[in-house]
Amino acid sequence: MPSKCFFEFDRPELIYYSGETINGRVTLTTTSEKSVNVIYVLFEGESKVHWGESRTTSVNGQTQHYTQHFRGKQTYVNSRTNVFGSGNLPAGTHSYSFGIPLPPDCPSSVVGQYGKVSYEVSLVVDRHWRFNNVFKKSVTVLQTYNLNMSPELLMPLVREDIKHFCCWPCRSGPVLSTLTIPFGGYAPGQKIRFTLEIDNQSSGYDVGGIDVKLRQTNTYQAQTPRHKTRGQEHSLSQSCQEEEVLRLSKKMINYTLAIPSVPPSTRSQGHIISVSYRVTLSLKMGSCHRDSDFAIPIVIGTIPLIQSAENLLNAAEWIPETPKTPAGAAADLPPSYDNCKPPTFEEATNFGERFIDIDADEHNRTDDFIPRYPMYSNFGMPSAPPPPTEESESSYLQSVPVLSLSHNATGPLNSTDHPTPTYGWNSNS
C-alpha cells in the first residue's frame, strides 16, 4: 500500500497575505520501512508562462508547419527544511511541523490561460534507488493592497467623449458623453456606482443603447526564445441598457457594476504576469455608424477605501488601521488589523480556461487548483458561518495559536466572537 500524506494548517481557509507566516504540520503514514536519503518540506512560490504560436518554414522547397513555444519563469520564494536525515524510516505515522515566512512583496496567486502564479507546500521523500515520493498542497497568497494608503484613489474618475456623425457638408451635431466614477479604487464585493451623462446634439441620429463593462486584463511576458508579451481580456460584469437617447436630447443615467471575486491589481514592476482592470463604455450608434467606445482604468485592492463604504458611520470598524511604520515603508508591509471585523465573502463565477503546466511531472500536477479571493459586501454584517468541517475541528487546529489574515479576513478562528466567513473563488483565466 502506498504512503499517505495529510497537511494541516493554522487556518481552515488556505488564504495567506504577503508578509505572513504559513504555519502547519504534515503527517506521513507508511505501511512498511523505507530507506531514504532525506525527507524535507519544500515551499515554492513561482510564476510560469507558456503559449504556442503556429509557424511555417520552407525545407527543400516544401512548406512545413510547426509550433513555436514561448516560456517564462520567475521564482519568488524557495524554502527547504530537512525533517528527517539519511537512514531507515520505520513504518507508522510521522508528523513534521513547518513555519514558512512569506516575502512582503510576493505577487498574488493568479491562474490564467497562458500562465499562473502559484504557491505550494510539498513533502518530499528522497528514496534510495527509487523515484521520490512527492506530496503537494497549494495555498492562495495575496499581496496586501490597502487602498487607503493611496490618497490619489479618492479622486473621482471622469472621462469625456465626443462622437461626430458623417463629414461636411452632411455633418450632424455631436454626441457628448461623460462617464464619472466616484473613486479610483475598489475591493472585490463592492459595487461601482457611476454616472453617465449623454448630450445628443445630433439632429438626425439617436443613441440606441448603452453597454458598460468591468474588464480584466492579464498580461503575460515570455523570456525565451525571446522576450514577447501577450495579453488576455475578460468581461467580469456588465450593465447593458436598451434605453435610447433621442436626437437633440439629454439624459443622466446611474448604473452599478459589481466587482466579483478577483485578484488585486498588480503594483510591482518586472513580474511576468500582471493583472489590471478598466471600465469600458460603448454607445450603440446604429448599424450605419461606428459605436463610440472608451475606457477608464481603475484599481482593485484587498482593502477598500473607507470613503467608499455604504455606511460611513460603521466604516471605521471595518477598515483596518494603517501600520505605524516609517514613512515610505507602510505600503510594503502588511498592516495590523487587530481591531477590524471580518468582511463577508461570496462565491463568484468561474470563467475561462486554466493554465496547464505541460513541463511539470505528470504525477505531481496541481493544475486543478483555483485561487480564492476574499470579498467585501459593502461593509455589511458578516454572513452566518458555514457548518464546521472535520479539518477545522481537528485537534491540531485547536492546539496551535491561530494567525489572523491581514485585514483580519478570517478573524481569530478560535474565537466565538466572530463568525467564520466563506470565500469567493475564481480561476481568473
Side-chain angles (χ1 to χ4, degrees), residues 47-51 70-74 76 114-116 218-232 266 268-275:
S47 60
K48 287 186 176 182
V49 166
H50 173 249
W51 71 84
F70 292 87
R71 289 179 169 86
K73 182 178 179 179
Q74 286 181 330
Y76 307 113
Y114 303 115
K116 69 176 180 179
N218 292 344
T219 303
Y220 308 91
Q221 297 187 40
Q223 301 161 322
T224 59
R226 66 179 185 276
H227 182 273
K228 188 169 186 179
T229 300
R230 181 163 189 169
Q232 183 184 29
T266 302
S268 305
Q269 301 295 321
H271 295 312
I272 62 175
I273 299 178
S274 60
V275 182

Side-chain angles (χ1 to χ4, degrees), residues 302-353:
T302 59
I303 303 168
L305 293 166
I306 188 170
Q307 290 83 354
S308 67
E310 294 291 322
N311 187 340
L312 291 177
L313 296 178
N314 298 328
E317 300 179 7
W318 291 83
I319 300 297
E321 298 176 356
T322 56
K324 297 179 180 179
T325 54
D332 297 325
L333 296 176
S336 172
Y337 306 105
D338 295 336
N339 299 323
C340 177
K341 296 179 180 179
T344 60
F345 295 82
E346 298 175 358
E347 183 174 301
T349 303
N350 183 20
F351 59 92
E353 299 180 37

Side-chain angles (χ1 to χ4, degrees), residues 95-243:
S95 295
Y96 311 106
S97 299
F98 56 83
I100 304 164
L102 292 171
D105 58 349
C106 58
S108 301
S109 298
V110 173
V111 175
Q113 183 175 354
Y114 303 115
K116 69 176 180 179
V117 180
S118 61
Y119 297 87
E120 297 175 341
V121 181
S122 304
L123 180 70
V124 181
V125 182
D126 187 343
R127 305 183 61 187
H128 291 295
W129 310 108
R130 294 193 179 188
F131 291 109
N132 293 345
N133 294 141
V134 181
F135 307 92
K136 292 186 176 184
K137 187 70 173 180
S138 298
V139 300
T140 298
V141 173
L142 297 180
Q143 187 177 57
T144 304
Y145 198 161
N146 187 349
L147 300 180
N148 296 279
M149 303 182 74
S150 300
E152 67 275 10
L153 298 178
L154 292 172
M155 299 293 295
L157 302 177
V158 181
R159 176 68 188 272
E160 298 178 341
D161 183 70
I162 301 177
K163 172 70 174 181
H164 290 279
F165 296 94
C166 303
C167 301
W168 186 89
C170 301
R171 188 169 186 174
S172 176
V175 174
L176 292 77
S177 54
T178 303
L179 178 63
T180 303
I181 299 176
F183 303 101
Y186 294 85
Q190 288 191 286
K191 293 181 179 179
I192 304 175
R193 304 183 185 278
F194 58 90
T195 301
L196 176 61
E197 182 179 0
I198 299 178
D199 182 3
N200 188 354
Q201 299 180 8
S202 169
S203 59
Y205 303 97
D206 301 329
V207 176
I210 301 163
D211 190 7
V212 183
K213 296 180 180 179
L214 173 63
R215 300 188 66 86
Q216 177 192 69
T217 300
N218 292 344
T219 303
Y220 308 91
Q221 297 187 40
Q223 301 161 322
T224 59
R226 66 179 185 276
H227 182 273
K228 188 169 186 179
T229 300
R230 181 163 189 169
Q232 183 184 29
E233 277 203 358
H234 305 283
S235 179
L236 302 178
S237 58
Q238 181 176 5
S239 180
C240 186
Q241 303 293 331
E242 298 299 330
E243 43 184 313

Side-chain angles (χ1 to χ4, degrees), residues 5-11 14 16 22-28 41 83 93-100 121-123 137 391 394-400:
C5 186
F6 178 70
F7 290 87
E8 294 175 287
F9 293 84
D10 55 358
R11 60 189 59 162
L14 305 185
Y16 294 85
I22 301 176
N23 291 312
R25 183 170 63 191
V26 55
T27 301
L28 176 67
V41 175
V83 294
T93 300
H94 313 274
S95 295
Y96 311 106
S97 299
F98 56 83
I100 304 164
V121 181
S122 304
L123 180 70
K137 187 70 173 180
E391 182 178 0
S394 66
S395 59
Y396 173 72
L397 293 177
Q398 295 175 0
S399 61
V400 175

